[in-house]
Amino acid sequence: MSGPTPTVEEVGLDVVLPLRSAVLRDGGPAAMPGDDDPATVHLAARTPDGAVVGVVRLSPAPCPWRPDARAPWQLRGMATDATVRGSGAGRALVEASRALVAARGGDLLWCNARESAAGFYERMGFAVVTDRFDVHPIGPHVGMLEDLVPLTPRELG
Ligand SMILES: CC(C)(COP(=O)(O)OP(=O)(O)OC[C@H]1O[C@@H](n2cnc3c(N)ncnc32)[C@H](O)[C@@H]1OP(=O)(O)O)[C@@H](O)C(=O)NCCC(=O)NCCS
C-alpha cells in the first residue's frame, strides 16, 4: 500500500473481529476473554476510504513479569492486513495505544508477542523480558514490555 498513514480510532468489538479472525485465527472464532469488559478498548486503523487495515486491543491487566507495576495494560490481538504491511499501520496502532494508555493513567504496556512479530515490537520500543515459550496451538512467543511516561494529573485534566 502507498499513500497516507491510516488513521486510528476507538471502535466496537464488531469492527475488529473480522480482521483479527482473518489474520490471527485463520478465519476462525476470534473473541478473547475480556473483549466486552468496560475497561477494554479496541482500536482500528482505517485507510481514507474507511477500510479497516489494522486492529489491536488494550486492557488493564497485571503484568506477569512486573508484578509491582502500578498501572499495567496488556496489548493483544494486534493484526494488520497483509496487503498493507510495512507501510506504517502497525506503528500507527502502537503509537495510538501508547497515547491512549498513558491518557488513562497507565505506565506499562506489555504483550505476549509471537516470535515472528518480536522484531516489530522491538522496533516500536518494546523489550523482550522472557525466554521463548509456547502458546498452543499458535507457536513460540516471548514476553515483551514498554515503560510509558504517565501523564501528570494536570495533563490528564
Ligand atoms: C506484526 C504486524 C502487526 C506489523 O504490522 P505492520 O503493519 O507491518 O507494521 P509497520 O508497517 O507499522 O512496521 C513498523 C516497522 O516495523 C518493521 N517490522 C514490521 N514487521 C516486522 C517484523 N515481523 N520483524 C521486524 N520488523 C518488522 C517495519 O519494517 C517497520 O520498520 P520501519 O520503522 O523501518 O519503517 C503485522 O506484520 C501482522 O499483523 N502480522 C501477523 C499477525 C501478528 O503476528 N500479530 C502480532 C501478534 S503478537
Side-chain angles (χ1 to χ4, degrees), residues 92-120:
L93 284 164
V94 170
E95 287 176 351
S97 298
R98 232 179 242 144
L100 183 139
V101 168
R104 294 186 190 195
D107 61 357
L108 182 75
L109 200 50
W110 66 272
C111 65
N112 291 324
R114 292 183 183 198
E115 204 171 40
S116 54
F120 163 73

Side-chain angles (χ1 to χ4, degrees), residues 23-24 78-80 85-88 90-91 114 116 119-121 123:
V23 176
L24 296 174
M78 172 90 187
T80 62
R85 289 196 193 140
S87 68
R91 178 187 293 279
R114 292 183 183 198
S116 54
F120 163 73
Y121 291 110
R123 187 101 182 120

Side-chain angles (χ1 to χ4, degrees), residues 24 65 75 78 85 90-91 94 98 110-133 138-146:
L24 296 174
W65 321 292
L75 180 153
M78 172 90 187
R85 289 196 193 140
R91 178 187 293 279
V94 170
R98 232 179 242 144
W110 66 272
C111 65
N112 291 324
R114 292 183 183 198
E115 204 171 40
S116 54
F120 163 73
Y121 291 110
E122 278 181 329
R123 187 101 182 120
M124 297 299 103
F126 284 65
V128 175
V129 292
T130 69
D131 289 335
R132 175 186 205 229
F133 57 91
I138 297 166
H141 283 65
V142 288
M144 300 189 73
L145 57 74
E146 179 185 39

